[in-house]
Amino acid sequence: MTTEAAAALYEAQHIYQMQGRPIAIYNPHDKPVSDLPVIYGFNNGGRPGWFSGALISQDGKWLGGHLCSSEAYMPHDLGILEGSRPDRHEEFKEHYPDGYRMEFVGYDDVLSHEGIKKAAELADEKEKQATSQSKG
C-alpha cells in the first residue's frame, strides 16, 4: 500500500503528463469528425480508491470498464486519450470499423449528459429485446 502523500504526488504527475493530450479519434475515411459516432467513457461512481470507469457506444453497446483510484486516471485507462490503451481500440474498431471519436464525461455530468442518457436507453432496449427473445 502506498501513502496518501505518494498517491497524491503520483496523481499530480499523471495529470501533468496527460495534460494537453488530444482525444482519440479513429477516422479511416476522413469524414468530418462531428459525423463520427461517439464512444463515451465516464465515471460511473464508487468511492475514493474504487471508482468505476465505464465505456458505452453511442448505439448502446457496453464496451468495457476499469476500476480506478481516481477520476483523474480514467481518460487514460479507458482509452479516451490519443495513444492510450491500444488494446481497447481494437474492440472499438470492431464495433465502429468506419470510425469513431471518444468523449469523457466526469461524474458530476453523467446524469445530465444527453448522449449517455440516449446510449443507456438504447442499451436497455437491446437488453429487453434479448430477454424477450430468450423467453419466447
Side-chain angles (χ1 to χ4, degrees):
M1 203 45 127
T2 189
T3 67
E4 284 186 37
L9 175 62
Y10 182 75
E11 183 176 324
Q13 289 170 332
H14 177 80
I15 292 168
Y16 179 76
Q17 289 175 334
M18 298 298 118
Q19 189 175 13
R21 254 181 147 174
I23 299 297
I25 297 169
Y26 174 62
N27 193 2
H29 306 296
D30 292 322
K31 296 178 180 178
V33 173
S34 61
D35 290 351
L36 295 172
V38 182
I39 297 175
Y40 300 104
F42 60 97
N43 181 347
N44 202 28
R47 59 185 174 86
W50 300 92
F51 291 109
S52 174
L55 290 157
I56 191 168
S57 66
Q58 181 176 317
D59 62 1
K61 181 176 182 190
W62 171 255
L63 292 171
H66 192 86
L67 191 63
C68 296
S69 59
S70 167
E71 183 175 286
Y73 297 114
M74 287 183 190
H76 177 273
D77 293 346
L78 294 173
I80 305 296
L81 301 176
E82 188 175 282
S84 65
R85 297 299 305 266
D87 56 320
R88 290 190 182 274
H89 286 273
E90 293 307 314
E91 183 177 356
F92 302 162
K93 290 174 185 175
E94 286 178 23
H95 185 68
Y96 286 133
D98 292 327
Y100 58 86
R101 58 190 164 105
M102 305 298 295
E103 182 178 330
F104 181 73
V105 180
Y107 182 76
D108 292 340
D109 298 320
V110 169
L111 293 178
S112 63
H113 192 278
E114 291 303 319
I116 291 177
K117 285 197 282 188
K118 180 66 175 169
E121 289 170 7
L122 291 170
D124 288 346
E125 288 175 21
K126 289 178 183 185
E127 180 65 27
K128 287 177 188 173
Q129 288 175 356
T131 301
S132 69
Q133 288 176 355
S134 67
K135 289 181 181 180

